[in-house]
Amino acid sequence: MPHFIMEYSANLDDDLDIPALFEKLNATAIATGVFPIGGIRSRAIRCEHFRVGEGDPENTFVHLTAKVGSGRTPEVLKEASDKIFETFSECLKPVFDRRWMSVGFEMIELHPERNYRMNNIHKKLADKG
């Protein structure tokens, strides 16, 4: 983990370079040293139906959620969150500067007893090392 889930308004299709954004978010998550590389996932959900603010069709939104496993201190999560939001904001700045846009980010810590996973990517990465 983290799992990055980005929702965005469909009227941003021509403005977002989602692969480049995810490349930078993943690199930032790795650079924090907080998250195992094999657990990082990124995905985008295009929202065809949306309404932002008063309903002006030129209004846009992007919201990023990072779901993370439990066990880290609040201070560690805050520092990682700050770095991720900084990268996210920098990537969106060119669009933000010319479009009406709402940008949001939240980091959610998953419950340690109700979060189930299977992942063999960690082993693959260890074998490469």
Side-chain angles (χ1 to χ4, degrees):
M1 298 216 146
H3 288 203
F4 292 116
I5 304 162
M6 186 179 81
E7 298 171 281
Y8 68 97
S9 55
N11 60 351
L12 283 172
D13 280 343
D14 295 332
D15 295 299
L16 296 178
D17 183 348
I18 294 171
L21 174 61
F22 284 168
E23 183 177 342
K24 290 177 183 173
L25 285 173
N26 283 33
T28 299
I30 292 167
T32 67
V34 173
F35 308 108
I37 296 169
I40 300 171
R41 314 273 188 284
S42 299
R43 55 195 174 270
I45 301 167
R46 180 181 186 269
C47 298
E48 181 67 35
H49 303 284
F50 63 91
R51 185 177 178 91
V52 180
E54 82 291 6
D56 182 337
E58 293 301 314
N59 292 348
T60 67
F61 82 89
V62 181
H63 183 83
L64 180 67
T65 301
K67 295 184 178 185
V68 302
S70 64
R72 298 171 185 92
T73 67
E75 295 79 18
V76 166
L77 289 179
K78 171 74 167 111
E79 187 175 328
S81 294
D82 288 347
K83 290 177 181 175
I84 290 166
F85 186 66
E86 181 180 334
T87 296
F88 188 52
S89 298
E90 285 174 5
C91 290
L92 295 174
K93 187 171 180 358
V95 181
F96 187 87
D97 286 347
R98 62 183 169 73
R99 302 277 315 258
W100 301 116
M101 179 180 262
S102 172
V103 177
F105 170 65
E106 65 181 328
M107 185 174 283
I108 298 170
E109 187 176 29
L110 299 173
H111 192 280
E113 296 172 5
R114 294 187 299 271
N115 178 29
Y116 303 87
R117 296 183 294 268
M118 286 178 46
N119 184 341
N120 63 6
I121 297 171
H122 300 291
K123 181 180 178 342
K124 176 187 89 167
L125 293 171
D127 290 347
K128 287 173 102 176

